[in-house]
Amino acid sequence: MIYVTGERLQPHQVRVAAFDTRWRGLDPDQVHAYINQLADELDRLHRELTTSNTEAERIRQALRQWQASHTGCRFTDPDWSPNSQWQP
């Protein structure tokens, strides 16, 4: 089996993983079933990560747009302070 350190493991790499055979080794059907389950989970996690990154970028862009549209907005009441409601 080839594993390159530092690269993300992709589902197709898990599915095509090959192992040396040994006498009295593990049940190949169980190993393949587990590998396929692992690859499915890895695929799901990759999709979730892509979705999350896309949503985070959308939110960052919306925040930048909001900040740009409110750069000139300043509250100028000299008697007001952010913590005035908590002062005794």
Side-chain angles (χ1 to χ4, degrees):
M1 179 173 142
I2 298 174
Y3 181 75
V4 180
T5 304
E7 292 184 14
R8 286 188 174 169
L9 190 59
Q10 300 294 321
H12 72 276
Q13 292 171 310
V14 173
R15 289 186 205 285
V16 299
F19 302 91
D20 296 334
T21 55
R22 299 275 190 243
W23 182 66
R24 302 182 75 162
L26 299 173
D27 179 358
D29 292 335
Q30 287 180 343
V31 171
H32 291 311
Y34 186 76
I35 286 174
N36 283 329
Q37 183 180 2
L38 176 63
D40 290 343
E41 179 67 7
L42 191 59
D43 188 39
R44 184 188 66 77
L45 292 171
H46 278 279
R47 285 193 314 269
E48 278 186 20
L49 180 61
T50 299
T51 300
S52 296
N53 286 339
T54 301
E55 179 67 5
E57 182 57 30
R58 185 192 67 75
I59 291 169
R60 277 191 291 274
Q61 287 178 1
L63 177 60
R64 282 187 210 110
Q65 288 175 354
W66 183 88
Q67 287 172 329
S69 67
H70 289 83
T71 54
C73 298
R74 296 280 188 243
F75 187 70
T76 57
D77 185 355
D79 296 328
W80 183 84
S81 73
N83 294 323
S84 62
Q85 63 185 357
W86 303 110
Q87 294 173 356

